[in-house]
Amino acid sequence: MNTQFVKKSSNSKVGPIPVTNSSRETCPPSCPFIENGCYADAGYYTKLNWNRVTNGERGVDWPEFLTSIAKLPDGQLWRHNVSGDLRGSEDKINPHELRELVAANEGKRGFTYTHYPMTDTQNRNAVKDANNNGFTVNVSANTARDAVDIFKAYKLPTVCVLPIDAPQNQVVDGIRIVTCPATYKDDVTCSTCKLCAVSDRQVIVGFPAHGSASKSADIIARA
């Protein structure tokens, strides 16, 4: 199970910061977007790279990957898993490996997203621990309604998939959902926005369904 470290992203939406990719085996089987609207499969080159990480052509083993993260300069913003998810098995996060990642990130500003279910106590505790110790793990919800329920129940940074035609700002049950500005502004990237790296923010970040499989993702987001 390889993990790829890229020192400087060439992704126009991410910006020139370090990014990583993890093999497909890291994705929890309960994620409804697997081969059904996943953003990482939506782009030709993103999908090609993900496949090569998965089959071992690219990337390194876990200890070597952690060393690369630990060597990043203090204060460095970086995005974990442009494709892939946290390491785990079936629908459970591996808490030991997540703690290792949190330790490697000490002093840095790492952030990521996970589709592992927060109804599982082990997952929820692991994500809370990461957020409390400087590594932002955003819980990915399938719909805006799900995101609001997760945010209210667990007080965790939350993101969600939005329908293609969703408004840029909306309030659902008293919680504000803001659309990722990098999806509609050419001069904004992850490297300049940094909202998803804020673990104690009081808004949910939404990502409109997009890419070659946007119709499939749109159907899920409207459920």
mmCIF file of all heavy atoms in Angstrom, residues 209 214-223:
data_model
loop_
_atom_site.group_PDB
_atom_site.id
_atom_site.type_symbol
_atom_site.label_atom_id
_atom_site.label_comp_id
_atom_site.label_asym_id
_atom_site.label_seq_id
_atom_site.Cartn_x
_atom_site.Cartn_y
_atom_site.Cartn_z
ATOM 1 N N ALA A 209 -20.535 18.993 -7.435
ATOM 2 C CA ALA A 209 -20.177 17.855 -8.281
ATOM 3 C C ALA A 209 -19.567 18.368 -9.578
ATOM 4 O O ALA A 209 -20.074 19.301 -10.189
ATOM 5 C CB ALA A 209 -21.424 17.031 -8.575
ATOM 6 N N SER A 214 -19.590 13.911 -13.010
ATOM 7 C CA SER A 214 -20.367 14.857 -12.203
ATOM 8 C C SER A 214 -21.832 14.458 -12.068
ATOM 9 O O SER A 214 -22.462 14.716 -11.045
ATOM 10 C CB SER A 214 -20.261 16.267 -12.783
ATOM 11 O OG SER A 214 -20.729 16.306 -14.126
ATOM 12 N N LYS A 215 -22.385 13.826 -13.091
ATOM 13 C CA LYS A 215 -23.800 13.438 -13.028
ATOM 14 C C LYS A 215 -24.036 12.416 -11.925
ATOM 15 O O LYS A 215 -25.040 12.484 -11.201
ATOM 16 C CB LYS A 215 -24.256 12.897 -14.373
ATOM 17 C CG LYS A 215 -24.366 13.955 -15.464
ATOM 18 C CD LYS A 215 -24.914 13.380 -16.758
ATOM 19 C CE LYS A 215 -25.047 14.461 -17.822
ATOM 20 N NZ LYS A 215 -25.564 13.911 -19.105
ATOM 21 N N SER A 216 -23.123 11.466 -11.783
ATOM 22 C CA SER A 216 -23.258 10.458 -10.726
ATOM 23 C C SER A 216 -23.136 11.096 -9.351
ATOM 24 O O SER A 216 -23.916 10.791 -8.434
ATOM 25 C CB SER A 216 -22.191 9.372 -10.893
ATOM 26 O OG SER A 216 -22.357 8.671 -12.100
ATOM 27 N N ALA A 217 -22.148 11.988 -9.196
ATOM 28 C CA ALA A 217 -21.965 12.668 -7.915
ATOM 29 C C ALA A 217 -23.146 13.571 -7.604
ATOM 30 O O ALA A 217 -23.553 13.698 -6.444
ATOM 31 C CB ALA A 217 -20.673 13.470 -7.935
ATOM 32 N N ASP A 218 -23.692 14.205 -8.626
ATOM 33 C CA ASP A 218 -24.842 15.094 -8.448
ATOM 34 C C ASP A 218 -26.039 14.337 -7.911
ATOM 35 O O ASP A 218 -26.768 14.837 -7.043
ATOM 36 C CB ASP A 218 -25.176 15.767 -9.782
ATOM 37 C CG ASP A 218 -26.310 16.764 -9.662
ATOM 38 O OD1 ASP A 218 -26.090 17.846 -9.078
ATOM 39 O OD2 ASP A 218 -27.430 16.461 -10.148
ATOM 40 N N ILE A 219 -26.254 13.133 -8.393
ATOM 41 C CA ILE A 219 -27.382 12.316 -7.932
ATOM 42 C C ILE A 219 -27.245 12.011 -6.452
ATOM 43 O O ILE A 219 -28.208 12.107 -5.672
ATOM 44 C CB ILE A 219 -27.457 11.007 -8.741
ATOM 45 C CG1 ILE A 219 -27.891 11.311 -10.179
ATOM 46 C CG2 ILE A 219 -28.432 10.022 -8.086
ATOM 47 C CD1 ILE A 219 -27.808 10.098 -11.111
ATOM 48 N N ILE A 220 -26.026 11.662 -6.015
ATOM 49 C CA ILE A 220 -25.789 11.371 -4.598
ATOM 50 C C ILE A 220 -25.991 12.612 -3.750
ATOM 51 O O ILE A 220 -26.610 12.586 -2.685
ATOM 52 C CB ILE A 220 -24.379 10.805 -4.402
ATOM 53 C CG1 ILE A 220 -24.248 9.455 -5.109
ATOM 54 C CG2 ILE A 220 -24.052 10.656 -2.909
ATOM 55 C CD1 ILE A 220 -22.835 8.900 -5.127
ATOM 56 N N ALA A 221 -25.469 13.766 -4.232
ATOM 57 C CA ALA A 221 -25.568 15.000 -3.475
ATOM 58 C C ALA A 221 -27.002 15.468 -3.299
ATOM 59 O O ALA A 221 -27.314 16.204 -2.349
ATOM 60 C CB ALA A 221 -24.757 16.102 -4.174
ATOM 61 N N ARG A 222 -27.892 15.060 -4.178
ATOM 62 C CA ARG A 222 -29.305 15.455 -4.093
ATOM 63 C C ARG A 222 -30.146 14.479 -3.289
ATOM 64 O O ARG A 222 -31.326 14.699 -3.051
ATOM 65 C CB ARG A 222 -29.906 15.579 -5.496
ATOM 66 C CG ARG A 222 -29.310 16.689 -6.340
ATOM 67 C CD ARG A 222 -29.927 16.723 -7.731
ATOM 68 N NE ARG A 222 -29.249 17.675 -8.582
ATOM 69 C CZ ARG A 222 -29.501 18.994 -8.600
ATOM 70 N NH1 ARG A 222 -30.447 19.492 -7.835
ATOM 71 N NH2 ARG A 222 -28.817 19.785 -9.408
ATOM 72 N N ALA A 223 -29.555 13.359 -2.877
ATOM 73 C CA ALA A 223 -30.326 12.312 -2.203
ATOM 74 C C ALA A 223 -30.957 12.836 -0.914
ATOM 75 O O ALA A 223 -30.336 13.618 -0.188
ATOM 76 C CB ALA A 223 -29.430 11.131 -1.896
#
